Amino acid sequence: MPRPTAPPTGVRSRGMRILFNVLAVIVFLCAVFPVYWMLNLSFTPGDQIIQRDQSLIPREPTLLNYVTAWTRPAAPGQTDFPNALRTSLTIVAIVVLCALLFAFLASIALARFRFVGRRTFIVAILVVQMIPGEGMMFTVYNLIDDMRLMNTLVGLSLVHIAAVIPFTIWTLRGFVAGVPAELEEAAQIDGCSKQGAFWRVTFPLLAPGLVATGIFAFMQSWNEFAMALLLMKDENLTLPTWLNSFQSATEATNYGAVLAGSTLICIPVVIFFLIVQGRMTGGLAAGAVKG
């Protein structure tokens, strides 16, 4: 009895390519559809959102949900959208600047110098990233309370900086280690000072890493909810906690305004990501494999 012959290599590779493409399309649709559905319902009148007969395109598109989300007055103990937006932008600016500054200096020290405890410090950075933030909520709450920084922008900014800086140091260390020190030495031979060689040769090569880690710090601080809800109140609430104010025990939830508010919160992150997406992709990939 003749044995069945295996399909040619070209046919198998084409079949695998089609299979991977189909899987990629499925993953893409699973990731994009919730965002599309949020946009769709944000333009749908509130009385049509809770109906079971939904449409992929709003039958009667309206901007009323966005007007409601933007102009909704603050309830007692809550805040409104403009104030929450101002608070979130202030905290994010502090977090990004401080995280990049401290992480940059730390990554230079870890990649270029050999000192006692260096390896222990690197291991500590990895271990800290494995601890879930919720497991340290009680400790962080007591620490911020003892420092008298409850319900202050500085207090929440310190918490966010502590949360994002381990990953920032780890990623930047990979970039610094990937830049040969011989480049600076060659620049010094050509007449540059040590500081000039660093700022003119090494620092431009680290720009993709700074952009990538800056975006990571931006998104982590912008979307953080649990610690902001625990440490902030009244007019100092951030945007994610402001969105939580739409849920009330005394009135029905305005789902249209909630979805419109969610869309408004996403806009700054999307704009920032579109501007620097190329550097972010290359930066994260390079930082992950170097060092």
Side-chain angles (χ1 to χ4, degrees):
M1 182 177 180
R3 300 177 58 182
T5 58
T9 305
V11 175
R12 283 186 297 175
S13 62
R14 187 165 58 251
M16 293 299 294
R17 188 165 59 248
I18 294 174
L19 175 62
F20 286 137
N21 288 337
V22 171
L23 290 176
V25 171
I26 293 175
V27 172
F28 174 77
L29 292 177
C30 291
V32 170
F33 185 77
V35 179
Y36 167 73
W37 198 244
M38 177 184 70
L39 285 171
N40 178 26
L41 295 183
S42 69
F43 290 102
T44 303
D47 57 345
Q48 298 181 11
I49 291 179
I50 58 177
Q51 295 178 359
R52 293 183 179 275
D53 184 19
Q54 296 291 342
S55 172
L56 291 177
I57 300 176
R59 299 188 182 91
E60 301 175 7
T62 177
L63 294 175
L64 181 61
N65 295 328
Y66 287 90
V67 175
T68 302
W70 190 283
T71 62
R72 182 174 181 266
Q78 301 292 336
T79 187
D80 53 12
F81 178 80
N83 199 29
L85 177 62
R86 184 165 51 251
T87 302
S88 288
L89 289 175
T90 304
I91 293 176
V92 164
I94 296 173
V95 171
V96 171
L97 292 177
C98 293
L100 287 182
L101 175 62
F102 292 122
F104 179 69
L105 297 177
S107 62
I108 292 289
L110 291 174
R112 293 293 175 84
F113 300 100
R114 298 292 181 268
F115 52 88
V116 178
R118 173 178 171 273
R119 184 175 297 276
T120 304
F121 184 74
I122 295 175
V123 173
I125 292 176
L126 285 176
V127 172
V128 167
Q129 295 181 76
M130 299 175 186
I131 301 175
E134 289 75 10
M136 298 186 293
M137 291 179 70
F138 182 73
T139 305
V140 171
Y141 181 88
N142 285 338
L143 184 62
I144 295 298
D145 189 36
D146 292 341
M147 297 170 66
R148 301 184 184 278
L149 293 177
M150 289 292 293
N151 197 26
T152 62
L153 302 185
V154 175
L156 186 59
S157 299
L158 287 176
V159 175
H160 286 184
I161 291 171
V164 303
I165 208 166
F167 178 82
T168 309
I169 293 175
W170 184 261
T171 305
L172 280 179
R173 172 182 168 273
F175 275 94
V176 177
V179 177
E182 289 78 8
L183 292 177
E184 289 186 36
E185 296 173 359
Q188 294 178 50
I189 293 174
D190 291 338
C192 263
S193 63
K194 190 173 182 62
Q195 291 78 12
F198 176 79
W199 290 110
R200 294 177 183 175
V201 177
T202 303
F203 186 77
L205 297 176
L206 299 179
L210 291 172
V211 172
T213 51
I215 294 173
F216 171 79
F218 182 96
M219 291 191 297
Q220 289 295 311
S221 178
W222 185 264
N223 297 325
E224 200 281 329
F225 174 78
M227 297 308 301
L229 184 64
L230 183 67
L231 303 178
M232 309 295 274
K233 61 181 180 180
D234 300 334
E235 71 278 2
N236 287 333
L237 290 173
T238 59
L239 282 174
T241 51
W242 161 80
L243 198 61
N244 187 51
S245 66
F246 282 90
Q247 290 187 338
S248 173
T250 58
E251 59 180 336
T253 302
N254 188 342
Y255 291 105
V258 171
L259 294 165
S262 302
T263 305
L264 291 174
I265 293 175
C266 295
I267 290 176
V269 180
V270 172
I271 294 176
F272 194 46
F273 178 78
L274 290 177
I275 294 174
V276 294
Q277 59 173 333
R279 287 185 178 274
M280 180 183 180
T281 305
L284 286 178
V289 300
K290 292 177 180 177

